[in-house]
Amino acid sequence: MKIGTPKEIFDGENRVAMTPASALELQKLGHDCVIETKAGDAAGFSDKSYKDAGVEVVKTAAALWKAADVIAKVRVPDADEMKRLRADQTLISFFSPVADDDKMKSAAKKGATVVAMEMIPRISRAQKMDALSSMANIAGYRAVIEAGNHFPRFFTGQITAAGKVPPAKVLVVGAGVAGLAAIGTATSLGAITYAFDVRPEVAEQVESMGAQFVFLDFDEDQKDGSETGGYAAVSSPEFAAAQLAKFREIAPDMDIVITTALIPNRAAPELWTEDMVKAMKPGSVIVDLAAEKGGNCKLTVMDEKIVTENGVTIIGYTDFPSRMAAQSSTLYATNVRHLLTDLTPDKDGKINHNMEDDVIRGATIAHASAVTFPPPPPKIQAIAAKPKAAVVELTPEQKRANEVAAFKAQTKSQVTLLAVGAFLLLAVGLVAPASFMQHFIVFVLAVFIGFQVIWGVAHSLHTPLMAVTNAISSIIILGALMQIGSGSFIVVVLAALAVFMTGINIFGGFLVTRRMLAMFQKS
Amino acid sequence: MEFGFTTAAYVVSAVLFILSLGGLSGQESAKRAVWYGIVGMALAVAATLVGPGAGYWLLSVLMIIGGGAIGYQLATKVQMTQMPELVAAMHSLVGLAAVFVGLIAHIELTRVMGMDAATREGLSGFAGLLAHKSGVEISILRVELFLGVFIGAITFTGSVVAYGKLAGKVDSVAKKLPGGHLLNIAAAAIAVVTLITYINTGGFFPLFLMLLAALFIGYHLIMGIGGADMPVVVSMLNSYSGWAAAAIGFSLGNDLLIVVGALVGSSGAILSYIMCKAMNRSFVSVILGGFGGPQGEQMAVEGEQIAIDADGVASALEEADSVIIIPGYGMAVAQAQQNVAELTRRLRAKGKTVRFAIHPVAGRLPGHMNVLLAEAKVPYDIVMEMDEINDDFPTTDVAIVIGSNDIVNPAAQDDPNSPIAGMPVLECWKAKQVFVSKRGQGTGYSGIENPLFFKENTRMFYGDAKASLDALLSKIS
């Protein structure tokens, strides 16, 4: 199959869906690669570097669309490109099945197959193809860098000869992939970072990145995000109010606010209200990564940077990945390459579009002249962690009380046992003759000693213990020895046999014990 | 004068026996302690031969020498994997000896009772001892020897069956005759009735009838217990052989027999208790045999068993720093302990931490695995008990399960409806990676599915344990 990547025609888009490195990998799968001239220029990949990687470079977009069986690109195709898409061609690109509904339908009508990178299911196996995550990672990083660009102070606190510099305080709202990347970047620049998310279970991840999680005083069972494919669900009005109150409280302290809160297929929730912006210090920066979906702050202007009356800069860019085209192209091209690896299971250069496969099925929105969106739920669900059973922490008093109770119970059972034992003994003593009682005392004491001694035996020596008890239980030989000389022939025979058998046992038991014990050696 | 000497010798012997058991608390002191036992036994036998057992002493010595020769042969030839069989066989001998001694006591008692007072005065030795007993003492004597024969007979047939099962000569599956425990109860009832008759009449017939009943109980009881419960059975029989000796000691009025019998009896009882606790089952339920059915819907096991080959295991072991090996009966069956030891030596030579985790009921005898590993020259200080090592699994890179199943079954903790729920298990699934060496995809003794095999971090290393380890050793230098 021929994989082709055209130059992105969307204004300001610098990324490219194929890099020389990914082209080499694709060729290993048995595919041929073709690229439009200058497609990689904006991302820093020259035509020469593609040619060196064995990629055919064609002059025009028209020629490329004609030559390639599979088109890999970044942005959703525009009207012209949609015209070029033909039957039996596979298109791999970002493609929102909701926003670009008519394009999806026309592609299906043509008989083309469309694989939308946005629709890759969020399961472990598909992580390597998850372009949304790899782009979000870049966006999070870049958001901090952009904020720093407009922030008039240091991130890190310093004590210099010219005076003390306080560290910047950064709040990241939404600890998804972008949020976590932003937290990591901000903390490594030295800022004091706070983070908030409606999913309390991410607190651990947040803290592992070096930020403090902002907890709300709010009791409500939040849905585990893993149940909803790793995205946050819509929160209740009460929760939203508590959340806003918390933000209002901390807004004056924050120097940089990065909002990343998005809910799939909905407008971005408003989290940073006008009055919070007003409460912030002049020079503060807000980066709204949700600008494309209306913004988490209502003052945000999409694709623009504005400064409010009180001197707060609000950045509403939506092209963060494109601003780091070399990096984002590398990651995106790798995502595409992984997807093609799954589409080429036999590595023979033939695409096998397996609609039974969870990942491929989920991402395919048009196939075999039909719209295949929405996909059925994947067979493998991301496994949500079970809610942990609350372990009741005992107070020292309770522990003490438990100990006392246990001790009392123990004393009680011990005393009862002793009493019953003593009573039985006395009862026996009432009827039994003295000669019996003498032996009986010996017996009871021996059992007592036996219990005391045997508890001390090491577990690892239980087999030798059995062998040695075997040998010494043959002490019964004494009985036979005493009887052998007394009386009739049958007595002699039986006694002699008993002596014989116990003889086997005594020698066998002791010798095998010795043999075993000699084997136990220390390292 | 003679008897005074004998009694003194018995006191010394008794002390030596206690010391010899007490010495088993540590590997090094045990090596000394076994000598205490040997000396104690020699002293007791010698003192008896010189004193009250002087009649026919030549015959006695010959018999001891003959028996000793056979015992020596057995002890030096036996394979360590056959230890359970040997122990069971020896129990049967103690049981039979107890039966014989009890029967002799009966025969002598009958003979002495038949004499007139004047002749009785002239008797010496064992018969003389009997001659001086009063009416109540005679009754008590009868109870004692009756008990001695009863317990001895159960020990005898029980041990023979246990031997057969352990040696593979009898099918180790739990089997009961039609009627089940009713038969045992009936036999026990016969024993009680015959006891009462015997106390009153002192005739041979009730004793004989009881003997048959006891032999049957021993046989039927142990036939009804499956292979994996053998640790409990063997310790129980061990205990019985002690109690039989104690009962005989009472009837002969011999304190040393009583002391030793009580020591052995309590030792076996404690071992049985430890084994039962390790299986989270009551002693009664083990003896009555078989697992109860599941008490409800068992958790469905999800996932698949993923196989791995020797290369995969070898590379994981190369990367691992800490390894815990969990041996089970399957290792003993495959005779793989030498290969396990070799693997341990090679891994340790590379500076990795290798330890063994031993579940109390692993194998067919208490402490069976320890002896096998010791035979293969695995140093005992890296062989850990369950309680010592269970907390270390989360920090372990690789856990290797060789021939064990139920003792590493997470269902015991996770699934309250599982038949083994609550049984303490080795938490090997908490290790970063688990390899299970196993013949095939079957279930364990309890017949329940093991979710461990389906866990994400578990890889199945199918095949005979010895052959698998051979293949593995060829990959690890």
Side-chain angles (χ1 to χ4, degrees), chain A residues 383 431-436 438-440 442-444 446-488 490-523, chain B residues 10 17-18 21-22 24-27 30-31 34-35 37-38 41 44 48 53 55-56 59-60 63-64 66-68 70-72 75-76 78 80 83 86-87 90-91 94 96-98 100-101 104-105 108 111 126-127 137 140 144 234-235 238 246 250 252-260 262-264 266-267 270-271 273 348 365-368 370-371 374-375 379-381 385:
Chain A
I383 296 164
V431 286
S435 63
F436 175 78
Q438 271 176 1
H439 293 313
F440 198 65
V442 172
F443 174 74
V444 171
V447 170
F448 208 70
I449 292 175
F451 271 92
Q452 299 288 341
V453 168
I454 303 301
W455 277 120
V457 172
H459 279 221
S460 57
L461 292 178
H462 277 166
T463 299
L465 172 70
M466 301 209 68
V468 87
T469 49
N470 219 316
I472 66 170
S473 69
S474 299
I475 194 74
I476 211 159
I477 195 174
L478 298 192
L481 288 175
M482 282 161 70
Q483 292 166 335
I484 200 168
S486 150
S488 60
I490 180 121
V491 169
V492 174
V493 171
L494 285 179
L497 277 176
V499 171
F500 179 70
M501 288 186 301
T502 45
I504 296 180
N505 240 357
I506 292 172
F507 279 79
F510 278 125
L511 283 173
V512 87
T513 311
R514 242 173 55 71
R515 217 183 116 196
M516 272 190 276
L517 289 174
M519 289 168 185
F520 280 92
Q521 266 154 15
K522 213 171 181 164
S523 60
Chain B
Y10 284 178
F17 285 144
I18 292 171
L21 291 183
L24 286 166
S25 55
Q27 278 84 354
K31 291 172 188 170
V34 68
W35 280 107
I38 294 172
M41 184 59 81
T48 313
Y56 289 15
L59 177 64
S60 305
M63 280 299 167
I64 294 175
I70 294 178
Y72 178 80
T76 40
V78 67
M80 281 302 131
M83 272 313 292
L86 180 73
V87 168
M90 288 180 148
H91 287 153
V94 177
L96 194 56
F100 284 177
V101 173
I104 296 170
E108 285 294 284
R111 188 168 70 95
F126 180 59
E137 281 177 330
I140 288 185
E144 289 160 353
V234 176
S235 0
N238 185 7
F250 272 111
L252 301 185
N254 187 316
D255 281 336
L256 183 59
L257 246 70
I258 297 176
V259 169
V260 173
L263 284 177
V264 175
S266 47
S267 152
I270 289 176
L271 286 183
Y273 172 77
R348 274 163 67 92
L365 192 66
H368 192 186
N370 301 78
V371 171
E375 185 200 18
Y380 63 77
D381 46 356
E385 284 171 36

Side-chain angles (χ1 to χ4, degrees), chain A residues 20-158:
Chain A
S22 80
L24 280 175
E25 295 291 331
L26 288 174
Q27 285 164 29
K28 282 189 195 159
L29 294 173
H31 297 298
D32 296 320
C33 297
V34 54
I35 193 159
E36 188 185 340
T37 182
K38 292 193 166 44
D41 270 9
F45 302 111
S46 66
D47 283 355
K48 186 179 176 302
S49 64
Y50 283 106
K51 272 181 193 153
D52 291 346
V55 181
E56 185 190 337
V57 179
V58 296
K59 292 272 184 252
T60 61
L64 180 114
W65 281 83
K66 208 169 170 186
D69 304 303
V70 178
I71 299 284
K73 66 190 300 309
V74 181
R75 290 266 177 178
V76 63
D78 69 0
D80 289 344
E81 286 177 320
M82 282 308 293
K83 273 182 210 153
R84 286 176 178 151
L85 186 65
R86 58 182 156 80
D88 300 328
Q89 204 167 32
T90 301
L91 171 72
I92 300 172
S93 81
F94 277 117
F95 203 127
S96 165
V98 179
D100 299 314
D101 185 51
D102 42 345
K103 283 183 187 169
M104 172 173 73
K105 280 180 183 145
S106 80
K109 211 167 159 189
K110 278 186 183 180
T113 298
V114 179
V115 180
M117 294 302 279
E118 268 135 318
M119 295 303 295
I120 301 274
R122 283 204 149 182
I123 58 178
S124 314
R125 186 162 67 84
Q127 268 173 5
K128 60 189 180 202
M129 321 167 196
D130 189 353
L132 279 182
S133 291
S134 51
M135 294 303 113
N137 182 13
I138 293 172
Y141 169 84
R142 186 71 185 191
V144 177
I145 303 298
E146 289 290 341
N149 200 14
H150 296 285
F151 183 58
R153 288 201 286 115
F154 285 143
F155 270 81
T156 183
Q158 287 184 1

Side-chain angles (χ1 to χ4, degrees), chain B residues 221-256:
Chain B
L221 204 60
I222 309 303
M223 276 310 277
I225 302 177
D229 282 333
M230 278 301 152
V232 182
V233 170
V234 176
S235 0
M236 179 189 81
L237 292 169
N238 185 7
S239 179
Y240 284 0
S241 68
W243 300 131
I248 295 297
F250 272 111
S251 54
L252 301 185
N254 187 316
D255 281 336
L256 183 59

Side-chain angles (χ1 to χ4, degrees), chain B residues 304-318:
Chain B
E304 54 178 336
Q305 302 192 5
I306 308 167
I308 193 169
D309 57 5
D311 282 320
V313 181
S315 66
L317 286 174
E318 292 286 351

Side-chain angles (χ1 to χ4, degrees), chain B residues 447-468:
Chain B
I448 47 174
E449 201 59 81
N450 191 339
L452 170 72
F453 304 157
F454 299 88
K455 293 218 180 239
E456 265 180 41
N457 58 342
T458 305
R459 293 290 177 276
M460 305 300 291
F461 189 26
Y462 289 121
D464 175 74
K466 191 167 186 177
S468 303

